[in-house]
Amino acid sequence: MPLDPTAEHLLAAVQASPRAVAAHDKAAWVGLFADDAAVHDPVGSRAHVGRDAIARFYDTFIGPNSIAFRVDRDLVAGQTVVRDLHIETTMSTGATVTVPMHLRYDLVDTGAGWRIVRLAAHWEFAVMIARLLRTGVPGLLAGAKLGPQLVANLGVSGAMGMMRALRSVGGPGKRAARHLFDAAAVTDIGRVRALLGEHAVLELPAGNPISVEEFTNRARTIRWDKMIAAGRTVSASVRLGESHGVAFVEFAANSPRIVSVTIFLDANL
C-alpha cells in the first residue's frame, strides 16, 4: 500500500538517523531532533533532554562505536514511526554485540522540516551487558572504557541515571503481557479485564482507542515474538492475521496492572 506524503516525510526523517550514525556525523544526527527533544535510550534510564544533552549522549554511546541498524520493518501511525530491528554495535575494542530492539520516534513539524521530539529505545540493558561480557577480553575492555566515558560526558548523576535501566518490569511484566495476549487469542474477556487497570487505554491500531470487548475480538489472532522489557514497558513484535506490528504494554508505576496497550500495525485491520 503506497504511503501518504506525510508518512513518507516521517520515514525520511527517521531513516536519516542511521545514515548520520554510520557516517559519524554528529551535527547531522543531533540536528534531527527538536530543540527540547528527549532521548530515552534505553527506556527506563534517565532521559537526555535538549540538544546539548543529546550531543553528550552521542559522544558517549555513538561516536566511539560503529553501529549498524538491521531493520525488519517500519510502522507509521499519526506522527509516530516505530522500527522493529536489531542493532549491531562494534566497540572501539573490537567487541561486537547485537541487541534486539524496538524504536519509537515521535515527530513534530517545526516549519523547517520534521524533527524528532521523543526517541524511546526499547532494549534490555542487562542483556546487552551479558552479551558484551561473553565476547571476552574485548568486552571487558569496552566495559572498562565505558565507565569513565559515562562520568566524563554525563557526570556522576548522569551515569547513575543510566543505571536505572537495570530496573524494569522484567520477567513478571513479560509474563503479564503473554497472559494478556493468550487471553485475547482465546477471546477471554474476563482474563483480559483482570490484567488491566481500571482506566486502561487500549489502541488497536495505534491512535484508535477501543473497548476491552473490541480489543479482545480484534486481537483474537495475535501471535508474538521478540518480547522486550524496558522500564515500565514490555514491547513485542506481533502479527494479527496478515498484519505485522509492534505492541507496547505499559504498566502502572507501583502496580502489576497494565495501564495501556498500543499496537502499531503495517496495515489497519
Side-chain angles (χ1 to χ4, degrees), residues 65-254:
N65 304 315
S66 296
I67 301 173
F69 290 60
R70 313 298 186 200
V71 180
D72 293 320
R73 60 184 48 85
D74 289 322
L75 312 163
V76 183
Q79 295 182 188
T80 297
V81 176
V82 171
R83 312 201 87 178
D84 189 347
L85 75 165
H86 289 73
I87 284 188
E88 181 181 275
T89 302
T90 301
M91 314 289 187
S92 60
T93 62
T96 298
V97 179
T98 300
V99 176
M101 189 176 298
H102 298 116
L103 289 175
R104 174 173 175 162
Y105 298 82
D106 295 311
L107 297 101
V108 62
D109 188 352
T110 64
W114 289 96
R115 296 290 183 269
I116 301 164
V117 71
R118 181 177 182 269
L119 167 60
H122 295 260
W123 55 278
E124 297 180 353
F125 190 34
V127 170
M128 186 276 289
I129 292 173
R131 292 186 179 186
L132 182 63
L133 294 177
R134 283 200 293 269
T135 66
V137 173
L140 292 171
L141 292 175
K145 291 183 67 174
L146 181 58
Q149 286 176 346
L150 276 169
V151 174
N153 293 326
L154 306 179
V156 174
S157 64
M160 294 300 293
M162 183 69 183
M163 294 303 106
R164 293 180 190 173
L166 291 171
R167 299 195 303 268
S168 77
V169 293
K174 289 182 179 181
R175 285 193 293 275
R178 284 194 292 268
H179 291 329
L180 176 74
F181 297 154
D182 282 339
V186 296
T187 61
D188 189 334
I189 295 175
R191 285 176 61 198
V192 170
R193 287 190 184 279
L195 292 161
L196 299 176
E198 183 179 358
H199 302 293
V201 176
L202 307 173
E203 296 184 13
L204 199 179
N208 180 40
I210 58 177
S211 67
V212 175
E213 292 80 5
E214 189 172 2
F215 173 85
T216 305
N217 181 55
R218 290 193 180 192
R220 67 188 182 280
T221 62
I222 193 167
R223 300 291 182 270
W224 65 93
D225 57 18
K226 203 174 89 172
M227 193 169 276
I228 296 168
R232 305 298 305 175
T233 307
V234 171
S235 60
S237 302
V238 299
R239 181 170 179 174
L240 280 81
E242 297 303 313
S243 296
H244 294 267
V246 174
F248 294 97
V249 181
E250 303 276 350
F251 290 82
N254 298 303

